[in-house]
Amino acid sequence: MKTECIKKVEAFVKAELGQDATGHDWHHINRVRKMALYIWEKDHLNADPFIIEMAALLHDIPDEKLNESEAAGLLKLQTFLDRLNLEETIKQQIIEITTTISFKGGRKLELQSLEAKIVQDADRLDALGAIGIARAFAYGGKKGQTIYEPCIEVRNEMTNEQYRNGRSTSINHFYEKLLKLKDGLHTYSAKQIAEKRHQYMVKFLQVFYNEWNGQA
């Protein structure tokens, strides 16, 4: 039953996000799923792998930036879950995880389960390193942001509304979000993986500024 359920979720997510051009496509979802299960197994964590896999696959479905509104995203997720033969407690766990792990301007929510921490770590790891850099520029371009504009200052404190709709650049996004992710991870394996990916981004920024300033 669980295998059949996973297949239905995969088909649904591919239909919803398969053509996404903001870095939240099926490949991102699948990487997060694989990483979450890797962390669970590698760290021998006492968590439910089915909940982890389901939440990882569905984590971007209710995301407000990919829907008309937060309410519309939540409704889409709930409507889909209601079509599955799942216990109500499992549905609520999935909803709780997918609606609390998002960055949203750096807000700090106390995650209610180990499964949520694992999925959040996996999702945030995909925003780091080479893939994270590629996704940052894909999202910025889709959103109409410039690559870099020195006169636009980095925002250190902001509301979710300011984070979503305020003026920024793709390079600023590194400072407003990506470089902050390493210190907010929960699991041992995620922290180990993040260290190397974080340093890769730091090096990228150094090279970027050298080239921006016309240096060899």
Side-chain angles (χ1 to χ4, degrees), residues 99-189:
T99 56
T100 57
I101 65 170
S102 183
F103 186 74
K104 293 191 175 181
R107 67 174 189 170
K108 297 185 183 301
L109 289 180
E110 188 65 34
L111 300 182
Q112 300 301 308
S113 67
L114 182 54
E115 288 85 358
K117 292 175 181 178
I118 292 169
V119 175
Q120 185 183 74
D121 279 8
D123 186 32
R124 293 188 172 186
L125 283 175
D126 208 56
L128 300 177
I131 290 290
I133 291 170
R135 292 181 66 220
F137 288 106
Y139 182 74
K142 185 71 173 181
K143 195 175 178 180
Q145 292 179 341
T146 58
I147 292 175
Y148 179 51
E149 178 52 65
C151 69
I152 300 178
E153 296 183 356
V154 172
R155 303 167 298 173
N156 293 314
E157 298 291 336
M158 60 194 127
T159 64
N160 184 46
E161 173 63 24
Q162 290 170 333
Y163 174 67
R164 292 285 183 231
N165 301 309
R167 191 177 182 216
S168 189
T169 71
S170 292
I171 289 296
N172 283 14
H173 186 62
F174 283 78
Y175 302 97
E176 294 172 354
K177 176 183 178 181
L178 306 185
L179 295 176
K180 296 178 179 180
L181 297 179
K182 175 176 70 72
D183 294 332
L185 298 174
H186 307 280
T187 60
Y188 177 80
S189 289

Side-chain angles (χ1 to χ4, degrees), residues 41 81 92 95 152 164 178 199 208 214:
E41 184 174 16
L81 288 175
Q92 291 307 313
I95 290 171
I152 300 178
R164 292 285 183 231
L178 306 185
Q199 292 306 319
F208 177 89

Side-chain angles (χ1 to χ4, degrees), residues 71-95:
L74 179 57
L75 179 61
K76 181 190 295 182
L77 175 63
Q78 291 174 324
T79 301
F80 173 71
L81 288 175
D82 286 342
R83 303 199 323 244
L84 301 178
N85 185 24
L86 293 173
E87 296 177 11
E88 191 60 32
T89 54
I90 293 178
K91 292 181 186 178
Q92 291 307 313
Q93 281 180 279
I94 294 169
I95 290 171

Side-chain angles (χ1 to χ4, degrees), residues 5-15 26 33 53 57:
C5 186
I6 292 294
K7 288 181 179 179
K8 290 179 180 179
V9 174
E10 289 175 342
F12 172 69
V13 174
K14 287 177 182 178
W26 164 250
R33 182 247 299 263
E53 187 168 9
L57 286 168

